[in-house]
Amino acid sequence: MSKVGGGRNFGWGKQMAWAGKQAVKSAFGSGHFGTVASHAARWRKFCEWAREQGIRDARDLSTAELERFANGLAQQCGKEISVGYAKNQLTTVNVVMESLRGDRSLWLKPGDYLGNRSGVRTRAPGAINRDRVGTVANKLIDQGKERVAAAGLLCRELGLRRKEASLLDLRLAKHQAETLGRVNITAGTKGGRGRYVDRWVPVSENSKLAINFATKAAGGGLTLIPAGQSLAQWLTKVSKEWSSAAASVDLGTLRDLRAAYACDRYAQITGTAAPVVAGSRLADKDIDQSARQVLSQELGHNRVDVVAAYVGSSR
């Protein structure tokens, strides 16, 4: 095999796993520790596979090797690993190789080898019922866990992820909600998109109530994260305590709160219930697709196909 050049592992270091991590860190910049760590862990697994093939230098990788790796993942899908896991693994290889090389000469589309991720929601989220959400929030408040309750309510009313709700600048959010009728989600976003792309989420009266409650729960702080706790500690606490409180009313996970928001917005945009609620798509196909496009942006995915995991199938 001929080498592309630029020194071993394109000049990023002698060890392939270490070089890949350094390249990704450089590409993503500071503040994306979780993303870099996830890519580094998956890249190490790829490097183990590469060593078994006799490859110890990323310059020796070609499309043929990547395709062989992708086909190997495809054979494991449904048996040893899920399609989602396999896609993440192949996506990491794409990202790291681009970071190492500085181009996309070696880039495989996961869907071409691994099929479609099975992620269409088939059960309506229990959090559509706000009374049940309120029951869980009140239970947490009675336990002195107002901040956790506030995080859950922000997820429900603004369609936020746990991390986004936790890092939301509450003073700014309150100002934007009152003056603009929408809130720009920039902190804690997936892949750090908030640093480069605006993500405006419209607010309702329920949204404003959630933001006001979170502001009071924060006790004067800019975010819900308590003083003396790291972000990681806080996120673990939110998941654990919300899930524990929600179990009694079968409310589901924090992601189900986002799904409930999505179903509400789908109904507002299309004038019909979300497919997962109605049992099938009731809206005209073009209107349905338009709603999914809006939701993909509001949920911070920017991929229309992912919306099926929140509102159900478009068929």
Side-chain angles (χ1 to χ4, degrees):
M1 286 177 237
S2 62
K3 296 189 176 183
V4 177
R8 189 175 179 84
N9 292 309
F10 304 100
W12 288 98
K14 294 183 178 180
Q15 299 297 321
M16 198 163 136
W18 190 88
K21 181 177 181 179
Q22 301 313 305
V24 170
K25 285 174 66 176
S26 177
F28 278 83
S30 60
H32 301 280
F33 306 112
T35 301
V36 171
S38 295
H39 282 310
R42 291 192 287 263
W43 176 248
R44 282 196 301 272
K45 292 185 178 181
F46 171 75
C47 290
E48 292 172 2
W49 174 88
R51 281 197 299 273
E52 293 175 356
Q53 315 304 309
I55 300 172
R56 297 176 179 274
D57 187 335
R59 294 177 300 170
D60 289 333
L61 291 167
S62 68
T63 299
E65 280 76 44
L66 299 192
E67 288 183 335
R68 191 158 68 244
F69 178 69
N71 288 329
L73 289 174
Q75 292 176 8
Q76 298 176 61
C77 286
K79 302 173 184 177
E80 303 170 42
I81 59 177
S82 67
V83 174
Y85 176 90
K87 284 191 172 183
N88 286 338
Q89 185 69 50
L90 191 53
T91 295
T92 283
V93 174
N94 284 334
V95 169
V96 177
M97 287 303 297
E98 179 183 5
S99 300
L100 286 167
R101 295 175 58 94
D103 60 42
R104 287 195 174 190
S105 297
L106 295 184
W107 185 281
L108 302 183
K109 291 180 63 176
D112 290 346
Y113 299 87
L114 305 172
N116 295 318
R117 183 193 301 259
S118 178
V120 177
R121 180 174 285 271
T122 58
R123 179 186 178 190
I128 285 181
N129 186 326
R130 283 193 171 84
D131 288 340
R132 294 169 71 182
V133 178
T135 297
V136 175
N138 288 330
K139 183 176 181 179
L140 289 165
I141 292 170
D142 290 342
Q143 296 171 354
K145 301 170 183 175
E146 289 86 354
R147 290 173 186 256
V148 176
L153 291 174
L154 289 175
C155 291
R156 170 63 180 90
E157 301 304 340
L158 290 172
L160 305 185
R161 299 179 177 89
R162 171 190 58 165
K163 187 176 180 181
E164 293 165 348
S166 298
L167 291 172
L168 184 67
D169 183 328
L170 296 170
R171 295 179 190 174
L172 178 59
K174 184 175 182 179
H175 173 73
Q176 291 176 336
E178 293 174 348
T179 60
L180 302 175
R182 55 182 184 164
V183 175
N184 194 12
I185 309 303
T186 59
T189 53
K190 190 172 184 179
R193 295 189 184 101
R195 295 177 59 190
Y196 315 103
V197 180
D198 284 336
R199 177 179 151 202
W200 290 98
V201 176
V203 298
S204 62
E205 287 306 312
N206 286 315
S207 304
K208 292 179 181 178
L209 289 173
I211 292 171
N212 289 336
F213 176 72
T215 301
K216 294 178 181 178
L222 286 178
T223 72
L224 287 172
I225 304 173
Q229 280 193 30
S230 68
L231 175 60
Q233 290 171 330
W234 167 247
L235 293 180
T236 299
K237 180 179 181 179
V238 171
S239 292
K240 181 178 179 180
E241 296 188 349
W242 180 273
S243 296
S244 177
S248 62
V249 293
D250 191 27
L251 195 61
T253 65
L254 289 167
R255 191 166 186 264
D256 287 300
L257 300 177
R258 269 164 59 80
Y261 165 86
C263 288
D264 280 355
R265 284 289 288 143
Y266 182 96
Q268 292 171 6
I269 297 169
T270 67
T272 65
V276 73
V277 176
S280 63
R281 174 173 61 82
L282 302 179
D284 176 82
K285 186 174 182 179
D286 289 340
I287 295 175
D288 171 87
Q289 287 300 305
S290 178
R292 289 171 190 269
Q293 184 63 55
V294 171
L295 283 170
S296 70
Q297 295 170 359
E298 292 182 5
L299 292 169
H301 282 291
N302 297 321
R303 285 175 47 208
V304 175
D305 59 313
V306 177
V307 177
Y310 299 91
V311 302
S313 175
S314 61
R315 294 182 181 180

